[in-house]
Amino acid sequence: MKEWDPVLYRKFEAERTRPARELLARISVEEVEQVTDLGCGPGNSTELLTEAWPLATVCGLDSSAAMLTQARERLPHCCFVQAGIRSWQAATPQQVIYANASLQWLDNHATLFPNLVDQLAPDGVLAVQMPDNLNEPSHQLMREMAAI
């Protein structure tokens, strides 16, 4: 896959952050010590997590070095790790594993999801938002235009 462009990504940050905020609003865990943001990008969703749980250790994970550079500049007090989601293993059980618009890029969800759940603390939450819009008219039209 082509490297993500953090400048272009942040151009639409408000639109990209809205579903992240909505996903966060659905998490009912209050006592949180460990949080991982899978596919953190430039840190917009990670920032929401630090605001929700200011005493927690929040770590962002992304495969893009360029995105992580932006995230580290934005949130120098957070931990950021360059790694693939599939190969990631939490050092300690997580109260929240948060994945906003990242897991749809991976295949074999039948093994991925149980692996993520196994990394949760008792009563931990795996919060996932996955767009499923590849067959929508807008995406079909983009593919048709790209083929011209």
Side-chain angles (χ1 to χ4, degrees), residues 5-24:
D5 179 350
V7 174
L8 182 59
Y9 186 96
R10 292 189 76 179
K11 182 176 179 181
F12 301 99
E13 185 167 327
E15 293 84 357
R16 292 181 184 276
T17 304
R18 185 178 32 216
R21 191 178 316 281
E22 291 170 0
L23 177 60
L24 178 59

Side-chain angles (χ1 to χ4, degrees), residues 41-89:
N44 53 314
S45 54
T46 314
E47 186 170 42
L48 296 175
L49 299 172
T50 63
E51 292 168 359
W53 300 293
L55 300 178
T57 299
V58 178
C59 189
L61 178 95
D62 206 284
S63 60
S64 168
M67 288 290 208
L68 290 172
T69 296
Q70 293 272 315
R72 287 181 181 112
E73 289 173 6
R74 180 184 202 140
L75 300 164
H77 61 283
C78 284
C79 154
F80 290 98
V81 176
Q82 184 174 359
I85 293 169
R86 187 169 301 289
S87 62
W88 171 73
Q89 291 293 309

